[in-house]
Amino acid sequence: MKYWNLKKINQSALEKIGPIPRSISKIFEKFKKELDPNAEVEALEEFKISRYQTVASVKYVLFLFIVPILANQISKSLIFGPCINYFWNKEQPSIFLNESQEERAFAELERFEEKLHFEILIGKTPHLSNTMINERMGHKAIELARNYANESSDAIKNILSDLFSATIFISIIITGKRQVSILKSFTNELIYGLSDTAKAFLIILFTDIFVGFHSPHGWEVVIEVILRHFGLPESRDFIFIFISTFPVILDTIFKYWIFRYLNRISPSAVATYHNMNE
């Protein structure tokens, strides 16, 4: 029974787009089913298949995200973390991995010095001699060096643990082809079940977030976080080139998808999208 359900779900997932819009063909299919004397039995069977498909998809999505995250955290804490800490304490490599870290550290130290002089001028901090100021600056420099050394070692840990979790993620997808087909069928039915207004709303929301006129600021923050996460230099030239090219390419791909596929599947949703976007 389960094998037959999986076979039917897989066939639904691999269903190709025909020349007639899916919404129109569904009307004829529904009319045909209502005239079928075995409609009740088939409806019950479809409900069982739909429930199995939903439960299997939810379980697979949770498994697909929870396992790589756990693998990332466990490997970072128990495997890569101790190894990197041992190497870092033994070899004592450079504090900074790139010039961006140096610039941020020097800027923080300079800001600390300016803040200290300002607090002395306004009377918030008692007057300090040059020796005491240099002593405080030295303590701050040691604190910054310790923080950026930890940031550098964390970046190496992030690279290793993220590669390990990405390998786990890809392995789960490769070994779970049947679950992927079930999830694909579930996603298609979920999307096709939305109203035209809901589809248009999601399209506008997606495009405004990722390729809208205000998205470059968001991309800039995301890229800086990613580069800092992996200990890579935060090159402004690279960030600006990425922002000026990638959203444009993404917008072109998305428009091609609307023209090539969505226009055939649901023309009314495309019309609603154009009306809402005007």
Side-chain angles (χ1 to χ4, degrees):
M1 179 67 179
K2 182 179 291 188
Y3 173 77
W4 183 83
N5 290 346
L6 289 174
K7 185 176 181 181
K8 189 169 182 179
I9 292 172
N10 291 339
Q11 290 176 352
S12 177
L14 298 175
E15 182 181 358
K16 295 182 178 180
I17 300 172
I20 301 177
R22 187 185 177 98
S23 57
I24 298 178
S25 60
K26 274 190 171 184
I27 296 176
F28 291 102
E29 290 178 2
K30 182 179 179 182
F31 183 72
K32 183 179 178 181
K33 287 180 180 180
E34 289 177 352
L35 297 178
D36 190 353
N38 299 323
E40 294 182 1
V41 178
E42 293 183 359
L44 181 61
E45 191 65 33
E46 288 181 359
F47 172 76
K48 292 180 180 179
I49 295 174
S50 178
R51 182 175 61 182
Y52 171 79
Q53 181 179 354
T54 302
V55 174
S57 299
V58 172
K59 288 182 179 179
Y60 184 68
V61 169
L62 293 176
F63 182 78
L64 192 63
F65 285 97
I66 291 177
V67 171
I69 291 175
L70 289 177
N72 183 288
Q73 297 299 318
I74 292 174
S75 63
K76 185 176 181 180
S77 301
L78 302 180
I79 302 176
F80 301 120
C83 294
I84 297 300
N85 291 336
Y86 174 78
F87 169 78
W88 210 265
N89 294 328
K90 182 180 179 180
E91 300 295 333
Q92 294 183 350
S94 177
I95 297 173
F96 306 107
L97 291 178
N98 53 68
E99 295 181 358
S100 300
Q101 289 181 323
E102 291 185 11
E103 293 175 359
R104 286 192 283 118
F106 297 157
E108 289 186 37
L109 185 61
E110 183 178 359
R111 184 177 182 277
F112 175 80
E113 183 180 9
E114 293 175 351
K115 180 181 179 182
L116 183 61
H117 285 292
F118 177 76
E119 290 180 349
I120 293 175
L121 291 175
I122 64 176
K124 187 176 181 180
T125 300
H127 181 73
L128 301 175
S129 63
N130 292 333
T131 304
M132 297 179 66
I133 293 177
N134 291 333
E135 183 179 352
R136 288 200 179 188
M137 292 289 294
H139 289 306
K140 184 63 177 179
I142 294 174
E143 179 185 349
L144 290 174
R146 187 183 300 111
N147 292 338
Y148 279 93
N150 293 332
E151 181 180 315
S152 299
S153 62
D154 287 340
I156 299 176
K157 297 174 189 176
N158 292 334
I159 294 174
L160 297 176
S161 58
D162 288 352
L163 286 175
F164 180 73
S165 60
T167 304
I168 297 295
F169 182 82
I170 295 173
S171 301
I172 293 175
I173 294 179
I174 294 176
T175 57
K177 293 182 180 180
R178 179 174 295 178
Q179 288 81 0
V180 171
S181 64
I182 295 174
L183 179 61
K184 182 179 178 181
S185 177
F186 171 76
T187 305
N188 289 337
E189 293 297 333
L190 186 64
I191 294 175
Y192 293 144
L194 296 174
S195 64
D196 295 337
T197 305
K199 292 177 184 176
F201 170 77
L202 293 177
I203 293 173
I204 294 175
L205 179 65
F206 178 85
T207 53
D208 283 351
I209 290 176
F210 294 100
V211 297
F213 65 92
H214 55 274
S215 63
H217 303 290
W219 281 112
E220 184 176 355
V221 174
V222 171
I223 297 171
E224 287 181 354
V225 171
I226 293 175
L227 294 177
R228 193 172 299 180
H229 178 77
F230 293 114
L232 299 174
E234 301 168 24
S235 173
R236 307 304 300 177
D237 294 335
F238 169 77
I239 294 176
F240 291 149
I241 291 174
F242 182 91
I243 292 175
S244 62
T245 56
F246 183 76
V248 176
I249 296 174
L250 189 64
D251 182 53
T252 304
I253 295 174
F254 194 75
K255 289 179 179 178
Y256 174 79
W257 174 80
I258 293 177
F259 174 78
R260 179 69 176 82
Y261 295 101
L262 188 61
N263 200 32
R264 292 187 178 184
I265 297 172
S266 181
S268 56
V270 177
T272 305
Y273 161 74
H274 288 303
N275 291 332
M276 294 178 64
N277 207 24
E278 290 180 355

